[in-house]
Amino acid sequence: MKRVTVFGSTGSIGQNTLDLIARAPQDYDVVALTGGRNITQLAADARRLGAQLAVTAHDDLLEDLRAALAGSGVEAAAGQAALIEAAARPADWTMSAIVGAAGLAPGMEALKQGATLALANKESLVTAGPLLMATAARHGARILPVDSEHSAIFQALVGEDIGAVERIIITASGGAFRDWPLERLAAATLAEASSHPNWDMGQRITIDSASMFNKALEVIETREFFGVAPEQIEVILHPESLVHALVGFRDGALMAHVGASDMRHAIGYALHWPERRDLPVARLDLAAIGTLNFRAPDPARYPALRLAREVMQRGGLAGAVFNAAKERALDAFIAGRIGFLDMAGVVEDVLTRMSSESGLIDAEITLDTVAHVDHLARTRADEAMQAKAG
Ligand code: NAD
Ligand code: MG
């Protein structure tokens, strides 16, 4: 029996993870499930999978969760401290699938248990990559990537020497607006940005796919996870989303991972690693697919990719600034306060200002310094947006 905990179990990655677990319930002992405001889903999953504990991130929902779990034997808890406590409960495998910087602290705590952390929460690596990797090393814990591109890279590297890697190419679908004329983008609505051509994901990452902020985060994630130089990482547009990433070796060979656009591929690989087991994902019919397309991303359309390069060049806490400013700008776009194209401007503004504040982003990376610059970056983003509005 594998003891498993799923952070963000009510979300898109979380539900796909539970789908795999529920197909072989005899193999898993579910320790904890965590969610946000969707108490009905959280409680139903905790009951059906016989979890020991269910946690909502929101203190005010504790009574609702207790009521929903009455008579089930599942413990209920709420709030930040409860999330950390859930992470501290011994588990063999923990899925980190909270969205945003909020995923960092529970993931760090889980690593301290020395077990395996399946990492969908790319924001952890972007905000505190060196800290996360060092914590894993110190506690003998393993991080397995769940982002489809990073799972693909990880798989292409099996049996290879990272020193023989020349370049890593991650693919991007281009998101909802890849074929829109540039001049239409400024007026893109929330509904338009929230629909992805190939993947069914949470709303925030779907919008980040349209703006390429998701790919920008993934470039940084690649650098932090695999330790390659920024110049070795390339992004290519691939509208079909079937080739997830390619690793280029010094002899010129490219190893590609090709598979259906179904996150259960990457989640299942991390769940069963180092074995490969049957997964309920579609098998590709290459003859029916016929053609795969690739093209270079247009830098004018996707400023987020350039910003990712700047973040990597600056290093230190620049990733935490970048991510927090992006989260805040995204909040404002979702709330209808700024336009689609304004998001990159806000992030660039905050990044430029905070990079020039002496000592700020060069401080040692700890949970406290990350929280500090994260908070500051959100405040600065609000200021930038107010200045623009006023
Ligand atoms: P989602 O919005 O569907 O789900 C997020 C989950 O986190 C929910 O359970 C929600 O309740 C919880 N949550 C949200 N804010 C929280 C907070 N402040 N504290 C505690 N819990 C909170 O998101 P998703 O699409 O499943 O993405 C989850 C993570 O996986 C993100 O980091 C995303 O970038 C990454 N990812 C997602 C996909 C995908 O296909 N959806 C693919 C690759 C990577
Ligand atoms: Mg991805």
Side-chain angles (χ1 to χ4, degrees):
M1 290 273 268
K2 195 179 241 178
R3 294 169 302 173
V4 298
T5 283
V6 180
F7 283 89
S9 68
T10 56
S12 167
I13 292 286
Q15 290 291 297
N16 277 304
T17 306
L18 297 192
D19 174 73
L20 294 181
I21 290 171
R23 285 164 193 267
Q26 69 286 354
D27 293 348
Y28 304 100
D29 179 0
V30 178
V31 179
L33 300 180
T34 88
R37 298 213 161 269
N38 193 346
I39 298 299
T40 310
Q41 185 74 54
L42 179 60
D45 290 335
R47 279 178 184 272
R48 113 186 127 98
L49 296 168
Q52 293 169 23
L53 169 70
V55 183
T56 163
H58 306 281
D59 292 294
D60 57 311
L61 294 178
L62 180 57
E63 284 316 314
D64 291 1
L65 183 59
R66 279 208 179 116
L69 289 170
S72 67
V74 183
E75 278 174 70
Q80 279 310 305
L83 283 174
I84 303 297
E85 272 170 43
R89 291 209 181 181
D92 304 303
W93 189 89
T94 298
M95 165 58 76
S96 167
I98 287 174
V99 62
L104 175 61
M108 281 284 291
E109 188 62 35
L111 286 176
K112 291 183 186 160
Q113 297 305 315
T116 296
L117 185 69
L119 191 68
N121 180 264
K122 63 193 81 183
E123 296 90 344
S124 296
L125 278 169
V126 172
T127 56
L131 175 64
L132 211 67
M133 299 308 275
T135 304
R138 186 163 351 107
H139 295 275
R142 183 175 288 278
I143 305 177
L144 295 174
V146 173
D147 217 344
S148 57
E149 297 77 5
H150 305 75
S151 174
I153 299 163
F154 190 81
Q155 294 181 49
L157 284 171
V158 170
E160 303 285 356
D161 172 6
I162 189 81
V165 172
E166 206 167 56
R167 58 186 180 145
I168 292 179
I169 306 171
I170 59 177
T171 58
S173 69
F177 306 140
R178 63 188 179 206
D179 299 320
W180 281 36
L182 254 181
E183 51 288 359
R184 244 186 97 192
L185 283 184
T189 66
L190 177 60
E192 288 164 336
S194 302
S195 90
H196 196 284
N198 307 338
W199 295 93
D200 180 12
M201 311 185 284
Q203 186 187 41
R204 298 181 72 88
I205 183 174
T206 301
I207 302 169
D208 283 350
S209 297
S211 63
M212 277 297 200
F213 267 112
N214 180 50
K215 212 48 57 177
L217 297 176
E218 290 182 355
V219 167
I220 303 169
E221 182 186 11
T222 302
R223 164 156 176 72
E224 298 298 337
F225 191 85
F226 298 100
V228 293
E231 315 78 71
Q232 289 177 286
I233 307 166
E234 300 170 20
V235 173
I236 188 111
L237 281 193
H238 168 48
E240 292 86 2
S241 295
L242 296 176
V243 178
H244 303 301
L246 308 94
V247 177
F249 294 93
R250 63 197 306 169
D251 59 359
L254 277 176
M255 299 297 286
H257 181 285
V258 188
S261 320
D262 185 331
M263 284 309 294
R264 292 176 303 178
H265 249 309
I267 298 166
Y269 186 78
L271 183 60
H272 302 308
W273 183 90
E275 292 172 25
R276 282 191 188 271
R277 296 212 190 145
D278 293 356
L279 291 177
V281 298
R283 271 45 176 174
L284 295 184
D285 178 346
L286 292 177
I289 293 162
T291 312
L292 295 176
N293 290 279
F294 300 94
R295 60 177 196 258
D298 172 7
R301 185 180 285 264
Y302 302 118
L305 295 178
R306 171 177 53 80
L307 295 177
R309 302 270 161 205
E310 289 179 21
V311 167
M312 291 188 291
Q313 203 180 1
R314 288 188 172 124
L317 290 160
V321 170
F322 177 68
N323 179 68
K326 190 280 294 176
E327 288 192 25
R328 204 70 186 128
L330 179 58
D331 291 339
F333 174 69
I334 292 173
R337 290 199 303 273
I338 63 172
F340 182 75
L341 289 180
D342 298 331
M343 287 190 284
V346 171
V347 175
E348 179 155 25
D349 193 67
V350 173
L351 199 56
T352 307
R353 278 177 65 195
M354 287 183 64
S355 299
S356 65
E357 289 177 46
S358 101
L360 197 60
I361 65 168
D362 301 319
E364 190 195 343
I365 304 177
T366 66
L367 280 184
D368 287 343
T369 57
V370 167
H372 175 65
V373 299
D374 179 286
H375 178 74
L376 211 54
R378 285 170 207 260
T379 308
R380 295 273 197 276
D382 287 345
E383 288 165 6
M385 290 186 280
Q386 270 154 19
K388 204 163 176 255

mmCIF file of all heavy atoms in Angstrom, residues 19-50:
data_model
loop_
_atom_site.group_PDB
_atom_site.id
_atom_site.type_symbol
_atom_site.label_atom_id
_atom_site.label_comp_id
_atom_site.label_asym_id
_atom_site.label_seq_id
_atom_site.Cartn_x
_atom_site.Cartn_y
_atom_site.Cartn_z
ATOM 1 N N ASP A 19 -8.459 10.314 -10.016
ATOM 2 C CA ASP A 19 -8.987 9.363 -10.999
ATOM 3 C C ASP A 19 -8.074 8.137 -11.088
ATOM 4 O O ASP A 19 -8.553 6.994 -11.086
ATOM 5 C CB ASP A 19 -9.095 10.040 -12.375
ATOM 6 C CG ASP A 19 -9.493 9.060 -13.461
ATOM 7 O OD1 ASP A 19 -10.674 8.663 -13.483
ATOM 8 O OD2 ASP A 19 -8.621 8.644 -14.257
ATOM 9 N N LEU A 20 -6.768 8.371 -11.132
ATOM 10 C CA LEU A 20 -5.827 7.241 -11.217
ATOM 11 C C LEU A 20 -5.838 6.420 -9.933
ATOM 12 O O LEU A 20 -5.816 5.187 -9.974
ATOM 13 C CB LEU A 20 -4.405 7.749 -11.513
ATOM 14 C CG LEU A 20 -4.205 8.395 -12.881
ATOM 15 C CD1 LEU A 20 -2.753 8.840 -13.055
ATOM 16 C CD2 LEU A 20 -4.588 7.433 -14.013
ATOM 17 N N ILE A 21 -5.901 7.108 -8.801
ATOM 18 C CA ILE A 21 -5.903 6.400 -7.515
ATOM 19 C C ILE A 21 -7.174 5.558 -7.369
ATOM 20 O O ILE A 21 -7.132 4.406 -6.936
ATOM 21 C CB ILE A 21 -5.759 7.421 -6.364
ATOM 22 C CG1 ILE A 21 -4.324 8.000 -6.383
ATOM 23 C CG2 ILE A 21 -6.086 6.810 -5.013
ATOM 24 C CD1 ILE A 21 -4.103 9.166 -5.444
ATOM 25 N N ALA A 22 -8.298 6.133 -7.786
ATOM 26 C CA ALA A 22 -9.587 5.444 -7.626
ATOM 27 C C ALA A 22 -9.700 4.206 -8.522
ATOM 28 O O ALA A 22 -10.538 3.344 -8.289
ATOM 29 C CB ALA A 22 -10.733 6.414 -7.922
ATOM 30 N N ARG A 23 -8.861 4.115 -9.550
ATOM 31 C CA ARG A 23 -8.891 2.933 -10.422
ATOM 32 C C ARG A 23 -8.235 1.718 -9.778
ATOM 33 O O ARG A 23 -8.411 0.601 -10.260
ATOM 34 C CB ARG A 23 -8.188 3.234 -11.751
ATOM 35 C CG ARG A 23 -9.028 4.095 -12.674
ATOM 36 C CD ARG A 23 -8.182 4.695 -13.787
ATOM 37 N NE ARG A 23 -8.931 5.732 -14.456
ATOM 38 C CZ ARG A 23 -9.685 5.532 -15.544
ATOM 39 N NH1 ARG A 23 -9.769 4.334 -16.086
ATOM 40 N NH2 ARG A 23 -10.358 6.530 -16.074
ATOM 41 N N ALA A 24 -7.418 1.961 -8.730
ATOM 42 C CA ALA A 24 -6.770 0.835 -8.045
ATOM 43 C C ALA A 24 -6.756 1.118 -6.546
ATOM 44 O O ALA A 24 -5.697 1.237 -5.934
ATOM 45 C CB ALA A 24 -5.349 0.661 -8.575
ATOM 46 N N PRO A 25 -7.948 1.249 -5.935
ATOM 47 C CA PRO A 25 -8.016 1.687 -4.534
ATOM 48 C C PRO A 25 -7.263 0.757 -3.588
ATOM 49 O O PRO A 25 -6.773 1.199 -2.550
ATOM 50 C CB PRO A 25 -9.520 1.709 -4.233
ATOM 51 C CG PRO A 25 -10.179 0.958 -5.327
ATOM 52 C CD PRO A 25 -9.278 0.978 -6.509
ATOM 53 N N GLN A 26 -7.140 -0.505 -3.957
ATOM 54 C CA GLN A 26 -6.443 -1.460 -3.083
ATOM 55 C C GLN A 26 -4.958 -1.139 -2.956
ATOM 56 O O GLN A 26 -4.295 -1.594 -2.022
ATOM 57 C CB GLN A 26 -6.653 -2.894 -3.598
ATOM 58 C CG GLN A 26 -5.966 -3.242 -4.917
ATOM 59 C CD GLN A 26 -6.634 -2.632 -6.175
ATOM 60 O OE1 GLN A 26 -7.711 -2.017 -6.101
ATOM 61 N NE2 GLN A 26 -5.979 -2.782 -7.323
ATOM 62 N N ASP A 27 -4.421 -0.351 -3.894
ATOM 63 C CA ASP A 27 -2.985 -0.038 -3.884
ATOM 64 C C ASP A 27 -2.640 1.176 -3.026
ATOM 65 O O ASP A 27 -1.466 1.459 -2.814
ATOM 66 C CB ASP A 27 -2.484 0.250 -5.316
ATOM 67 C CG ASP A 27 -2.526 -0.998 -6.188
ATOM 68 O OD1 ASP A 27 -2.722 -2.093 -5.633
ATOM 69 O OD2 ASP A 27 -2.369 -0.862 -7.420
ATOM 70 N N TYR A 28 -3.668 1.933 -2.611
ATOM 71 C CA TYR A 28 -3.377 3.217 -1.963
ATOM 72 C C TYR A 28 -4.068 3.381 -0.626
ATOM 73 O O TYR A 28 -5.214 2.959 -0.445
ATOM 74 C CB TYR A 28 -3.797 4.383 -2.883
ATOM 75 C CG TYR A 28 -3.125 4.301 -4.237
ATOM 76 C CD1 TYR A 28 -3.816 3.789 -5.342
ATOM 77 C CD2 TYR A 28 -1.800 4.679 -4.386
ATOM 78 C CE1 TYR A 28 -3.194 3.669 -6.577
ATOM 79 C CE2 TYR A 28 -1.164 4.558 -5.620
ATOM 80 C CZ TYR A 28 -1.867 4.055 -6.711
ATOM 81 O OH TYR A 28 -1.243 3.936 -7.911
ATOM 82 N N ASP A 29 -3.318 4.025 0.261
ATOM 83 C CA ASP A 29 -3.850 4.420 1.546
ATOM 84 C C ASP A 29 -3.841 5.948 1.501
ATOM 85 O O ASP A 29 -2.772 6.556 1.467
ATOM 86 C CB ASP A 29 -2.890 3.866 2.611
ATOM 87 C CG ASP A 29 -3.309 4.213 4.010
ATOM 88 O OD1 ASP A 29 -4.342 4.882 4.161
ATOM 89 O OD2 ASP A 29 -2.579 3.829 4.940
ATOM 90 N N VAL A 30 -5.018 6.565 1.407
ATOM 91 C CA VAL A 30 -5.063 8.019 1.230
ATOM 92 C C VAL A 30 -4.937 8.705 2.594
ATOM 93 O O VAL A 30 -5.788 8.538 3.464
ATOM 94 C CB VAL A 30 -6.356 8.453 0.506
ATOM 95 C CG1 VAL A 30 -6.411 9.979 0.376
ATOM 96 C CG2 VAL A 30 -6.422 7.796 -0.875
ATOM 97 N N VAL A 31 -3.861 9.437 2.770
ATOM 98 C CA VAL A 31 -3.598 10.094 4.044
ATOM 99 C C VAL A 31 -4.404 11.392 4.127
ATOM 100 O O VAL A 31 -5.223 11.562 5.019
ATOM 101 C CB VAL A 31 -2.085 10.387 4.214
ATOM 102 C CG1 VAL A 31 -1.825 11.111 5.540
ATOM 103 C CG2 VAL A 31 -1.286 9.078 4.146
ATOM 104 N N ALA A 32 -4.147 12.324 3.205
ATOM 105 C CA ALA A 32 -4.843 13.617 3.276
ATOM 106 C C ALA A 32 -5.195 14.142 1.900
ATOM 107 O O ALA A 32 -4.451 13.930 0.932
ATOM 108 C CB ALA A 32 -3.969 14.633 4.016
ATOM 109 N N LEU A 33 -6.333 14.822 1.835
ATOM 110 C CA LEU A 33 -6.743 15.546 0.627
ATOM 111 C C LEU A 33 -6.952 16.995 1.044
ATOM 112 O O LEU A 33 -7.463 17.254 2.135
ATOM 113 C CB LEU A 33 -8.055 14.983 0.058
ATOM 114 C CG LEU A 33 -8.069 13.520 -0.362
ATOM 115 C CD1 LEU A 33 -9.462 13.145 -0.913
ATOM 116 C CD2 LEU A 33 -6.997 13.211 -1.407
ATOM 117 N N THR A 34 -6.558 17.926 0.176
ATOM 118 C CA THR A 34 -6.790 19.333 0.520
ATOM 119 C C THR A 34 -7.415 20.083 -0.641
ATOM 120 O O THR A 34 -7.156 19.786 -1.803
ATOM 121 C CB THR A 34 -5.491 20.080 0.928
ATOM 122 O OG1 THR A 34 -4.852 20.622 -0.242
ATOM 123 C CG2 THR A 34 -4.530 19.194 1.695
ATOM 124 N N GLY A 35 -8.226 21.072 -0.291
ATOM 125 C CA GLY A 35 -8.879 21.869 -1.323
ATOM 126 C C GLY A 35 -9.141 23.282 -0.835
ATOM 127 O O GLY A 35 -8.604 23.705 0.204
ATOM 128 N N GLY A 36 -9.950 23.988 -1.569
ATOM 129 C CA GLY A 36 -10.247 25.380 -1.237
ATOM 130 C C GLY A 36 -11.701 25.527 -0.835
ATOM 131 O O GLY A 36 -12.121 25.037 0.220
ATOM 132 N N ARG A 37 -12.497 26.174 -1.714
ATOM 133 C CA ARG A 37 -13.888 26.459 -1.383
ATOM 134 C C ARG A 37 -14.861 25.355 -1.801
ATOM 135 O O ARG A 37 -16.022 25.369 -1.430
ATOM 136 C CB ARG A 37 -14.310 27.795 -2.026
ATOM 137 C CG ARG A 37 -13.504 28.963 -1.513
ATOM 138 C CD ARG A 37 -14.294 30.273 -1.454
ATOM 139 N NE ARG A 37 -13.635 31.207 -0.551
ATOM 140 C CZ ARG A 37 -13.899 31.303 0.751
ATOM 141 N NH1 ARG A 37 -14.835 30.565 1.298
ATOM 142 N NH2 ARG A 37 -13.221 32.144 1.500
ATOM 143 N N ASN A 38 -14.395 24.428 -2.613
ATOM 144 C CA ASN A 38 -15.295 23.369 -3.089
ATOM 145 C C ASN A 38 -15.397 22.233 -2.061
ATOM 146 O O ASN A 38 -14.849 21.144 -2.235
ATOM 147 C CB ASN A 38 -14.786 22.849 -4.442
ATOM 148 C CG ASN A 38 -15.823 21.996 -5.144
ATOM 149 O OD1 ASN A 38 -16.806 21.573 -4.526
ATOM 150 N ND2 ASN A 38 -15.610 21.737 -6.417
ATOM 151 N N ILE A 39 -16.128 22.523 -0.990
ATOM 152 C CA ILE A 39 -16.248 21.578 0.122
ATOM 153 C C ILE A 39 -16.983 20.305 -0.296
ATOM 154 O O ILE A 39 -16.643 19.202 0.138
ATOM 155 C CB ILE A 39 -17.005 22.260 1.300
ATOM 156 C CG1 ILE A 39 -16.215 23.479 1.795
ATOM 157 C CG2 ILE A 39 -17.269 21.273 2.430
ATOM 158 C CD1 ILE A 39 -14.834 23.173 2.312
ATOM 159 N N THR A 40 -17.971 20.438 -1.153
ATOM 160 C CA THR A 40 -18.747 19.265 -1.581
ATOM 161 C C THR A 40 -17.836 18.242 -2.257
ATOM 162 O O THR A 40 -17.870 17.052 -1.947
ATOM 163 C CB THR A 40 -19.852 19.714 -2.572
ATOM 164 O OG1 THR A 40 -20.555 20.805 -1.977
ATOM 165 C CG2 THR A 40 -20.812 18.597 -2.871
ATOM 166 N N GLN A 41 -17.005 18.734 -3.172
ATOM 167 C CA GLN A 41 -16.075 17.840 -3.869
ATOM 168 C C GLN A 41 -15.059 17.233 -2.906
ATOM 169 O O GLN A 41 -14.792 16.028 -2.931
ATOM 170 C CB GLN A 41 -15.322 18.634 -4.960
ATOM 171 C CG GLN A 41 -14.422 17.778 -5.836
ATOM 172 C CD GLN A 41 -15.216 16.939 -6.805
ATOM 173 O OE1 GLN A 41 -16.031 17.465 -7.542
ATOM 174 N NE2 GLN A 41 -15.004 15.635 -6.778
ATOM 175 N N LEU A 42 -14.496 18.103 -2.068
ATOM 176 C CA LEU A 42 -13.464 17.647 -1.131
ATOM 177 C C LEU A 42 -14.007 16.544 -0.230
ATOM 178 O O LEU A 42 -13.374 15.491 -0.053
ATOM 179 C CB LEU A 42 -12.979 18.851 -0.301
ATOM 180 C CG LEU A 42 -11.916 18.587 0.765
ATOM 181 C CD1 LEU A 42 -10.644 18.016 0.150
ATOM 182 C CD2 LEU A 42 -11.602 19.890 1.534
ATOM 183 N N ALA A 43 -15.191 16.771 0.325
ATOM 184 C CA ALA A 43 -15.775 15.798 1.250
ATOM 185 C C ALA A 43 -16.161 14.510 0.520
ATOM 186 O O ALA A 43 -15.924 13.403 1.018
ATOM 187 C CB ALA A 43 -16.996 16.404 1.945
ATOM 188 N N ALA A 44 -16.711 14.651 -0.672
ATOM 189 C CA ALA A 44 -17.128 13.450 -1.420
ATOM 190 C C ALA A 44 -15.903 12.586 -1.742
ATOM 191 O O ALA A 44 -15.934 11.363 -1.593
ATOM 192 C CB ALA A 44 -17.850 13.857 -2.705
ATOM 193 N N ASP A 45 -14.814 13.222 -2.164
ATOM 194 C CA ASP A 45 -13.600 12.464 -2.492
ATOM 195 C C ASP A 45 -12.995 11.817 -1.249
ATOM 196 O O ASP A 45 -12.542 10.670 -1.290
ATOM 197 C CB ASP A 45 -12.566 13.386 -3.155
ATOM 198 C CG ASP A 45 -12.978 13.810 -4.552
ATOM 199 O OD1 ASP A 45 -13.766 13.080 -5.192
ATOM 200 O OD2 ASP A 45 -12.519 14.877 -5.013
ATOM 201 N N ALA A 46 -12.981 12.572 -0.152
ATOM 202 C CA ALA A 46 -12.404 12.040 1.090
ATOM 203 C C ALA A 46 -13.193 10.822 1.565
ATOM 204 O O ALA A 46 -12.622 9.822 2.006
ATOM 205 C CB ALA A 46 -12.381 13.120 2.167
ATOM 206 N N ARG A 47 -14.502 10.892 1.436
ATOM 207 C CA ARG A 47 -15.357 9.759 1.819
ATOM 208 C C ARG A 47 -15.109 8.560 0.913
ATOM 209 O O ARG A 47 -14.857 7.447 1.367
ATOM 210 C CB ARG A 47 -16.838 10.129 1.678
ATOM 211 C CG ARG A 47 -17.408 10.918 2.824
ATOM 212 C CD ARG A 47 -18.875 11.263 2.508
ATOM 213 N NE ARG A 47 -19.457 12.108 3.537
ATOM 214 C CZ ARG A 47 -20.055 11.637 4.637
ATOM 215 N NH1 ARG A 47 -20.175 10.337 4.826
ATOM 216 N NH2 ARG A 47 -20.547 12.472 5.522
ATOM 217 N N ARG A 48 -15.165 8.812 -0.388
ATOM 218 C CA ARG A 48 -15.109 7.682 -1.323
ATOM 219 C C ARG A 48 -13.751 7.007 -1.289
ATOM 220 O O ARG A 48 -13.644 5.791 -1.482
ATOM 221 C CB ARG A 48 -15.538 8.175 -2.701
ATOM 222 C CG ARG A 48 -14.557 8.225 -3.833
ATOM 223 C CD ARG A 48 -15.179 8.880 -5.066
ATOM 224 N NE ARG A 48 -14.330 9.965 -5.517
ATOM 225 C CZ ARG A 48 -13.450 9.852 -6.512
ATOM 226 N NH1 ARG A 48 -13.343 8.729 -7.174
ATOM 227 N NH2 ARG A 48 -12.697 10.871 -6.840
ATOM 228 N N LEU A 49 -12.682 7.777 -1.005
ATOM 229 C CA LEU A 49 -11.341 7.183 -0.990
ATOM 230 C C LEU A 49 -10.878 6.820 0.424
ATOM 231 O O LEU A 49 -9.763 6.336 0.605
ATOM 232 C CB LEU A 49 -10.335 8.141 -1.652
ATOM 233 C CG LEU A 49 -10.603 8.382 -3.145
ATOM 234 C CD1 LEU A 49 -9.774 9.540 -3.668
ATOM 235 C CD2 LEU A 49 -10.330 7.115 -3.950
ATOM 236 N N GLY A 50 -11.740 7.066 1.413
ATOM 237 C CA GLY A 50 -11.397 6.702 2.791
ATOM 238 C C GLY A 50 -10.189 7.443 3.326
ATOM 239 O O GLY A 50 -9.334 6.858 4.006
#
